[in-house]
Amino acid sequence: MDERKTSQAAARWAYAADRLPGTLDELSGPVAGTVELPLHLAWSGLRAFDLENTKLLLGMYRIVLNNGLREDFVEHLDAERLVAHWPILRKMLGRGVRTVWEDAFAELRQVDAA
């Protein structure tokens, strides 16, 4: 594979900052109840998540962070919960996802440093 094709393939699969909301304040997802993720986010396995169950909440956030786009983040994630659970979530995410979010939002870097 030539260098140009390799770079195009890498860019296609790279986690880009342009997928993110402008600020964490835009994240206004639910904080209680059960959330059923759409198929474009959770195409395999569990799709319904009880947000009162921390393990399920973390699993849902991991799926949305890995597979979502800006509108998915805004609809399904809550800023306060994201920041509160970031020390655990960041360990569940790939380096690319974690780095993009931490580079974009100082709130997440501060949580990690604490």
Side-chain angles (χ1 to χ4, degrees), residues 23-38:
T23 70
L24 290 184
D25 291 337
E26 292 180 44
L27 304 180
S28 58
V31 295
T34 299
V35 173
E36 185 167 336
L37 292 179

Side-chain angles (χ1 to χ4, degrees), residues 31-101:
V31 295
T34 299
V35 173
E36 185 167 336
L37 292 179
L39 283 173
H40 74 272
L41 290 175
W43 56 87
S44 175
L46 187 63
R47 290 186 50 219
F49 300 86
D50 176 359
L51 299 182
E52 303 305 316
N53 180 317
T54 301
K55 184 176 178 180
L56 292 177
L57 174 121
L58 291 172
M60 185 192 92
Y61 272 50
R62 184 180 141 281
I63 290 169
V64 175
L65 289 163
N66 280 321
N67 302 324
L69 298 173
R70 183 188 179 285
E71 50 276 358
D72 299 310
F73 304 141
V74 169
E75 182 178 347
H76 297 292
L77 304 178
D78 172 73
E80 188 175 314
R81 284 185 165 214
L82 178 68
V83 172
H85 291 290
W86 188 254
I88 295 168
L89 279 167
R90 70 181 312 276
K91 296 173 187 173
M92 300 169 66
L93 302 169
R95 176 178 286 159
V97 176
R98 180 177 61 239
T99 301
V100 167
W101 280 83

